[in-house]
């Protein structure tokens, strides 16, 4: 007679512990990991199954039942064929029959690897790095805090532990933590839509992403024109960086799109291209400054790697004396963190896009027009880049309240 049982490796654990299969036959015992784990409080010890109230219990119990039925069938077939049955024989046949790699429910991190491979085809290199960064943080968190991560354990307790860990032990700033949580929620939404996950705790309002409006650096009109006209005839390396950066300042293009610009994409004074990040087709009217840069570079900008570009850009801006004392304030939990440096140290490739947006608004362009050029679809996303400067406020105030302006017509009340 043969019997199948499922036991927890550590039934007294407060965290998830492996579920093991025990098959007793002919006075022998086969002990085999199912590849699944669960918290003991979610396990029905009498029925040797996951409690029905637990999210995902139906799928996991179904898998355990399949294992039990399969090994019993293998044993009966071997006995009928008078095959010598050993633990090694049963293990090999069971794993083959289950085709374990494809049939068993995938683990949390296996699904995340699938997600990365899928998204890799559709998102920018920077977002791919965000996903990899998320995976690294989660694996490290699981190891250091001994918190078994599965779709079932993604609850508010997990959320609180993870954010506390990132804040206190990884010294991450609030907005960085918010980006990590946001990336995790995007993955969980993908996993849910594809049937890997049925736990929707992450959709609750309390599963927050901590994102706060931050200060950022941009060039004033005077600084941009100074950089544009800077004599770099004796430094081709910084000349190429300046041309790329200023072209982005005059067009609002992302760094990832500038390398794509070709002469055949330009019709008259307008540039047509499909953006790498959003895959949207946009058209950008080229102003005099942008056209001048293209002409003096034979319509081919020499774009280097993002990392080198940012390093050389700081060198360039230091050479251009963009060294105004600049203070950037961020937060780590409730702690206020202030970064004070010469302005050039805060300038990066993305500064160009912000510069274009702000200077365009200061010059009187409507927000809707700027959005059309930059490719932003929602004002909510676009607003992150807008900094209403004192200059814009002065222009708007004088425009609305100047004595030279005609008095507004009074509302007629009947």
């Amino acid at each position: 007679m043969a019997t199948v049982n499922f036991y927890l490796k550590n039934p007294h654990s407060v965290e998830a512990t492996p579920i093991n299969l025990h098959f007793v036959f002919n006075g022998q015992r086969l002990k085999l990991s199912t590849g699944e784990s669960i918290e003991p409080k979610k396990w029905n010890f009498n029925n040797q199954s996951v409690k029905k109230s637990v999210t995902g219990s139906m799928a996991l119990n179904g898998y355990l039942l399949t294992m039990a039925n399969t090994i019993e069938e293998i044993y009966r077939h071997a006995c009928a064929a008078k095959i010598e049955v050993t633990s090694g024989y049963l293990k090999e046949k069971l794993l083959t029959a289950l085709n374990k790699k494809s049939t068993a429910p995938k683990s949390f991190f296996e699904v995340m690897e699938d997600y990365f491979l899928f998204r890799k085809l559709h998102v920018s290199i920077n977002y791919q790095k965000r996903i990899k960064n998320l995976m690294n943080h989660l694996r490290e968190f699981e190891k250091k805090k001994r918190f078994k991560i599965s779709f079932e354990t993604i609850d508010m307790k997990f959320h609180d532990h993870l954010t506390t860990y990132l804040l206190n032990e990884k010294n991450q700033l609030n907005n960085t933590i918010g980006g990590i949580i946001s990336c995790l929620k995007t993955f969980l939404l993908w996993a849910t839509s594809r049937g890997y996950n049925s736990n929707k705790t992450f959709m609750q309002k309390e599963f927050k992403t901590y994102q706060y409006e931050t200060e950022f650096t941009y060039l004033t009109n005077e600084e941009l024109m100074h950089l544009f006209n800077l004599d770099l005839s004796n430094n081709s390396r910084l000349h190429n960086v300046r041309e790329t950066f200023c072209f982005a300042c005059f067009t609002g293009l992302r760094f990832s799109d500038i390398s794509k610009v070709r002469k055949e994409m330009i019709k008259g004074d307008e540039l047509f291209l499909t953006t790498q990040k959003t895959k949207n087709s946009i058209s950008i009217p080229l102003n005099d400054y942008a056209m001048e840069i293209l002409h003096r570079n034979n319509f081919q900008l020499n774009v280097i790697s993002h990392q080198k570009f940012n390093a050389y850009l700081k060198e360039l801006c230091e050479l251009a004396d963009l060294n105004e004392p600049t203070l950037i304030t961020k937060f780590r939990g409730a702690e206020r963190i202030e970064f004070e440096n010469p302005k050039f140290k805060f300038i990066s490739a993305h500064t160009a896009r912000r510069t274009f947006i702000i200077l365009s608004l200061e010059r009187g362009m409507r927000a809707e027009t700027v959005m059309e050029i930059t490719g932003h679809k929602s004002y909510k996303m676009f607003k992150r880049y807008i900094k209403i400067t004192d200059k814009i406020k002065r222009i708007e105030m004088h425009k609305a309240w100047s004595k030279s302006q005609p008095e507004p017509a009074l509302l007629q009340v009947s």
Side-chain angles (χ1 to χ4, degrees):
M1 183 176 178
T3 58
V4 182
N5 294 285
F6 292 98
Y7 299 114
L8 302 188
K9 181 178 180 180
N10 185 358
H12 302 294
S13 174
V14 295
E15 298 176 344
T17 186
I19 304 172
N20 292 330
L21 177 148
H22 290 236
F23 185 64
V24 180
F25 64 101
N26 300 339
Q28 300 182 60
R29 179 189 297 268
L30 167 64
K31 180 180 177 181
L32 180 67
S33 172
T34 64
E36 295 297 320
S37 299
I38 195 167
E39 295 176 61
K41 67 180 181 180
K42 298 178 180 179
W43 180 256
N44 187 322
F45 287 89
N46 292 328
N47 297 334
Q48 298 181 11
S49 61
V50 184
K51 292 179 179 178
K52 293 182 179 180
S53 59
V54 176
T55 302
S57 61
M58 186 176 296
L60 183 49
N61 284 333
Y63 173 60
L64 298 180
L65 180 61
T66 298
M67 287 192 76
N69 291 339
T70 303
I71 196 167
E72 287 179 335
E73 183 180 347
I74 292 170
Y75 176 73
R76 287 194 301 269
H77 180 271
C79 290
K82 296 183 179 181
I83 297 173
E84 181 183 0
V85 182
T86 64
S87 296
Y89 172 85
L90 290 173
K91 180 179 178 180
E92 180 182 354
K93 290 294 184 180
L94 176 61
L95 295 180
T96 301
L98 290 174
N99 190 14
K100 188 173 179 62
K101 289 186 177 180
S102 61
T103 304
K106 290 187 176 183
S107 70
F108 178 88
F109 287 106
E110 286 175 333
V111 176
M112 185 168 273
E113 289 286 355
D114 288 348
Y115 170 71
F116 174 75
L117 293 175
F118 171 78
R119 295 289 282 167
K120 191 176 181 180
L121 303 173
H122 305 282
V123 299
S124 66
I125 293 176
N126 284 339
Y127 198 83
Q128 292 174 36
K129 290 179 180 178
R130 285 184 63 188
I131 299 173
K132 280 293 186 183
N133 184 53
L134 169 65
M135 293 171 68
N136 291 336
H137 278 306
L138 292 179
R139 289 185 187 279
E140 189 175 290
F141 168 77
E142 182 181 61
K143 181 179 179 180
K144 287 190 174 183
K145 309 309 290 185
R146 296 181 180 178
F147 189 108
K148 178 64 178 179
I149 299 178
S150 66
F151 289 112
E152 288 73 26
T153 59
I154 303 291
D155 53 17
M156 291 310 302
K157 177 182 176 182
F158 162 82
H159 170 274
D160 295 343
H161 284 336
L162 177 62
T163 52
T164 301
Y165 164 77
L166 292 171
L167 184 67
N168 294 336
E169 298 187 34
K170 300 299 291 183
N171 294 318
Q172 300 288 350
L173 296 170
N174 291 357
N175 277 11
T176 303
I177 296 174
I180 293 170
I181 297 295
S182 178
C183 188
L184 172 61
K185 293 180 73 170
T186 302
F187 159 65
L188 290 172
L189 190 63
W190 179 89
T192 302
S193 67
R194 284 154 178 80
Y196 293 112
N197 173 51
S198 57
N199 177 8
K200 297 185 180 179
T201 303
F202 75 95
M203 300 177 73
Q204 294 179 9
K205 184 179 179 181
E206 292 78 10
F207 208 100
K208 294 179 180 179
T209 57
Y210 296 93
Q211 295 281 2
Y212 300 93
E213 186 175 334
T214 59
E215 304 167 79
F216 53 75
T217 305
Y218 66 96
L219 301 192
T220 65
N221 186 70
E222 292 74 17
E223 290 170 335
L224 175 58
M225 292 306 162
H226 172 62
L227 195 62
F228 177 70
N229 293 308
L230 189 65
D231 182 8
L232 294 169
S233 55
N234 294 324
N235 193 326
S236 60
R237 176 172 59 87
L238 294 186
H239 168 83
N240 291 333
V241 171
R242 186 268 306 277
E243 300 293 85
T244 301
F245 181 76
C246 285
F247 186 75
C249 288
F250 294 128
T251 61
L253 277 175
R254 295 183 182 89
F255 180 82
S256 58
D257 293 322
I258 292 179
S259 61
K260 296 180 181 179
V261 175
R262 300 287 185 274
K263 188 172 184 179
E264 54 268 23
M265 297 178 178
I266 301 169
K267 308 298 180 185
D269 62 352
E270 197 161 3
L271 171 66
F272 298 85
L273 83 162
T274 301
T275 63
Q276 179 174 312
K277 180 177 180 180
T278 64
K279 305 298 186 292
N280 292 327
S281 297
I282 61 173
S283 61
I284 300 176
L286 297 172
N287 55 48
D288 293 341
Y289 299 104
M291 287 298 291
E292 181 176 337
I293 290 174
L294 288 175
H295 280 294
R296 67 193 188 193
N297 289 278
N298 196 26
F299 291 85
Q300 180 65 60
L301 297 173
N302 189 356
V303 183
I304 58 179
S305 72
H306 201 165
Q307 185 176 7
K308 285 185 178 180
F309 181 85
N310 280 333
Y312 294 165
L313 179 60
K314 288 176 173 55
E315 182 182 342
L316 168 67
C317 292
E318 182 179 15
L319 179 66
D321 294 323
L322 302 186
N323 50 21
E324 178 186 0
T326 303
L327 180 67
I328 301 293
T329 302
K330 297 184 179 182
F331 290 88
R332 183 185 295 124
E335 181 185 4
R336 181 187 180 95
I337 310 292
E338 293 186 341
F339 302 88
E340 185 172 6
N341 282 300
K343 188 171 186 175
F344 69 84
K345 289 197 173 184
F346 293 115
I347 295 175
S348 66
H350 197 64
T351 303
R353 190 165 166 87
R354 293 167 177 157
T355 297
F356 171 77
I357 292 172
I358 292 170
L359 296 188
S360 295
L361 293 171
E362 286 187 351
R363 287 168 176 261
M365 289 179 65
R366 292 180 297 117
E368 294 83 357
T369 303
V370 180
M371 287 174 63
E372 280 291 320
I373 293 173
T374 58
H376 285 91
K377 294 300 180 183
S378 70
Y379 185 74
K380 181 179 178 181
M381 295 296 294
F382 177 76
K383 191 177 179 181
R384 296 183 307 165
Y385 297 95
I386 298 179
K387 183 177 177 68
I388 303 299
T389 64
D390 290 337
K391 184 174 181 179
I392 292 179
K393 286 188 285 188
R394 286 197 301 272
I395 292 172
E396 293 292 332
M397 178 64 81
H398 290 308
K399 182 179 179 181
W401 291 95
S402 172
K403 286 185 177 181
S404 61
Q405 289 288 99
E407 291 292 325
L410 294 177
L411 180 65
Q412 300 296 320
V413 181
S414 57

